[in-house]
Amino acid sequence: MPAPPATPASLPASLTAAASFPRAVLFPVFVISGISALIYQMVWQRMLLMIYGSNSESVAMVVAAFLMGLGIGSLLGGWISQNEKLPLVLFFSAAELGVGVYGLFSVALFQWVGSITVGAGSLMTGALSFALVFLPTLLMGSTLPLLVAQQVRATGDVGDSVSWLYFVNTLGAAVGAFLAAMWLLRVTGLSGAVQVAAALNVLVSLLVLVTWMLRRRAARAAS
Amino acid sequence: MSDTSTSTGRRLTLPQAWLLSAATGFLSLAWEIVWMRLYNFTTSSRALAFGLMLGAYLLGLAVGSLWSRKWQRMGTEGTEPLGTLATLISRATLAAFLVVPLVSWLVMLLWWPWTLLIVMGAAAALGTILPLICHLAIPPDARAGQRMAGVYLANIIGSGMGSLLTGFVLMEWLPLVWLCTLLLLGGFAIALSLRLRAGLSAQVYSTSAVLLLIVPAVALGYASLWERLHYRGDYTLGMQFAKTIESRHGVIHVDSNGTIYGNGAYDGSLETILKPDSWLVRPYYISALHPKPRRVLVIGVSGGAWTQILAHHPEVEEVIGVEISEPYLRLIHDSPSVASLHRNPKVKLVIDDGRRWLKRNPTERFDLIMMNTTHHWREFASALLSREFLELAKSHLSQGGIVAWNTTESLRSAKTGLVVFPESIMLMNFFVGSNTPLVADKARWRSLLERWRIDDVPVFDLTTEQGRADLEKCAAFPDYEGPWEQTHHWRWHNRAHVEARVGDVPIITDDNLGHEFDWQNW
């Protein structure tokens, strides 16, 4: 027997209540999150290739390192999202804060690691690149499944949730790529660009946190 | 991804969704790598091209993701959703396949950034797929996030494989036209298997027939691809490069005059014999500034002409040539004027990144480090022009050693040289820096030119009137010093003239990336 079409009404009331978070805030902050992610990608990729060589082997290793982090992060986000009682947007807020804090120190960290691992071979280059980008890409990768789960709780529509969230996040990534290429890297250089990206992460984190707290306070007052 | 269950009525099981997500992720990233190659060549590796291409691609994916909602409204029941998904994959693949030939024709008429709209369109078609897969495979329950993570992970794994396999393996073995054809067939194979799964055999036959008609017709669009992209408005029918080497490192062309182009940008020539007024005086004259340049490091061997010249300097005992792109060694092997580099016991050719090679060999010292650096506006150019890199090169100099590089008319590059080296001259567009004063000894220079032979052929044939006249003109080069404003290229400038010319322009650093993202370099 085919399953009935899912709607928010068919989900447990606890889920829809927990999921209550305005798209008017969530979508713009996920755009900003995408912007900062692409700025990091362009800067970190450049820095790693400066450190470990810009030959095609290094490029392949660095790309693989980014994707591995994002992939594992995706699993982490999916795993966290199973818990129906957790306010998933708070995890998103924490992930953004984590990325931002890491971003602030990333240039100095990359330079330091680069200086003590000068003679690394191709495989070691991959391992070091992976180690350097693992934490932030893990956090970045977790955000989409977290927010999809949050949105499905609210709307009961997987395709629509994925479409919108993928749209806003990738739109942000596109804006980040244009912004970095056409203005940011020329004006601020690599270190300035990651500072801008980190500031965006912190802004996203705070906006989500404040919105969530205001809504919780309003809900309590109403009850 | 341990959960393989799905609710009844979903048109795709989770394992099928993983497989589809990985396969289409593979195709998406493979196409992105192809388009990167396309724009890298079209723009002669401008750094801006990477960012703009990436932005256009991502914007396309974003639009496609939203566009996908149109097909999600049909629900998840019956054969129609799978047939629709198959159609979307076919359309996206065909659109992606058309990008390369369309761009190659349009750049003859339009400014290249406009052609990114085509990339955006094809990426939008690709972007419709993932959300629809999620829609067809994931029920909207409490585990939607976890299941979505599995599909997303599969997509990332497929994307990673697409990026690595295409950029690292397929591009090494297949010319672009065959690679694109392979990806087209791959996309259609995925769509056909979906149709078979849905029991839409009739569509399978019709799609196959369309494919048989389309592929040969569109493959024609790839003919003379590189010539169109390189010559653009100046392209005429029948133009053809004398030699083309495609590999994972990029595309190398040699035209009928022996001029080399690396990824669409001028990359030197195969000429080694010095003539009056020739730009080739630079490798000859730089070595003349050092009384006995026994050990020479060449960073960026390219076609090998300069390495060949330096390896035959009468005083040079050892030359190490570091080249990042292996196919140049193949070009050298096949080019008579430089082929002996592979047999010359004084010469060692190494495939590596120049900066990395210097860092990995901290105890190596050289009398001359020579870099015929590429255009200052190209991607990664600042990695060889920055203060940090020049400091690194300086630390590898022997007493009295010289570092010389092509500023390609960048005042910022010259200014950086002034900051790093206490002694310097500009030799045409080359900056020559050292820790000790640079003095040209006219008698030594003349003596060198008289003795210089390449593969046992004298640079100046002193048995002929023409050879003796050429020698006299070239031997007078040390006299051609003057302020920058004297525009004839056959000239050098002292440090004071260089300082006056560059003024207070900013230097190039690893952090500020020099000219790479300058607006005027579009």
Side-chain angles (χ1 to χ4, degrees), chain A residues 1-3 5-7 10-11 15 38 41-42 45-46 49-61 63-64 67-68 70-72 74-75 77-79 81-82 84 107 111 114 118-122 125 141 144-145 148-149 152-153 156-160 162-164 166-168 170-171 173-174 177-178 180-183 185-186 188-192, chain B residues 1 7-10 29 47-48 50-66 68-69 72 77 116 120 127 130-132 134-135 138-150 152-153 155-156 159-161 163-164 167-168 248-249 324 352-353 355-356 359-360 379-383 386 509-513 516-519 522:
Chain A
M1 189 178 75
T7 62
S10 69
L11 295 168
L15 283 189
L38 241 289
Q41 190 198 327
M42 290 184 74
Q45 188 163 315
R46 171 73 186 213
L49 296 180
M50 295 270 269
I51 294 168
Y52 298 120
S54 55
N55 52 336
S56 53
E57 290 85 352
S58 297
V59 172
M61 292 294 177
V63 169
L67 290 171
M68 277 176 77
L70 288 173
I72 297 170
S74 153
L75 285 183
W79 179 71
S81 72
Q82 290 178 85
E84 298 171 11
V107 170
Q111 285 170 343
V118 162
S122 290
T125 299
L144 183 63
V148 165
V152 171
R153 288 179 189 179
D157 191 329
V158 175
D160 186 72
V162 174
S163 286
W164 272 108
Y166 199 64
F167 166 70
V168 292
T170 313
L171 178 70
F178 287 130
M182 296 172 73
W183 177 71
L185 290 173
R186 176 171 51 86
T188 67
L190 294 173
S191 50
Chain B
M1 293 206 302
S7 69
T8 317
R10 309 310 296 185
L29 256 287
L48 274 165
F50 171 73
L52 296 187
M53 211 308 282
L54 187 62
Y57 175 79
L58 291 168
L59 193 55
L61 286 183
V63 170
S65 175
L66 206 56
S68 171
R69 294 165 67 242
Q72 290 167 22
E77 303 302 315
L116 290 171
M120 214 180 289
L130 181 64
L132 197 56
C134 292
H135 174 69
I138 303 172
D141 57 20
R143 301 185 69 185
Q146 188 203 16
R147 291 185 174 118
M148 194 276 158
Y152 187 45
L153 175 66
N155 191 256
I156 289 172
S159 302
M161 292 302 293
S163 170
L164 294 179
F168 208 57
R248 67 173 187 263
H249 303 279
I324 197 166
D352 204 347
D353 177 275
R355 177 185 284 236
R356 187 170 63 176
K359 285 182 177 174
R360 284 178 172 177
E379 192 174 23
F380 275 99
S382 61
S386 69
T509 67
D510 280 353
D511 193 71
N512 70 28
L513 304 175
E516 289 186 47
F517 290 92
D518 280 358
W519 275 79
W522 281 47

Side-chain angles (χ1 to χ4, degrees), chain B residues 200-252:
Chain B
L200 299 165
S201 307
Q203 282 190 17
V204 171
Y205 295 125
S206 59
T207 308
S208 304
V210 169
L211 195 62
L212 282 174
L213 291 173
I214 285 176
V215 171
V218 177
L220 284 176
Y222 282 80
S224 298
L225 170 77
W226 301 119
E227 285 82 0
R228 281 197 304 279
L229 290 171
H230 181 78
Y231 293 108
R232 300 199 204 175
D234 296 328
Y235 173 79
T236 54
L237 218 58
M239 271 184 167
Q240 202 165 14
F241 286 116
K243 191 175 184 67
T244 299
I245 303 175
E246 291 186 53
S247 74
R248 67 173 187 263
H249 303 279
V251 188
I252 299 170

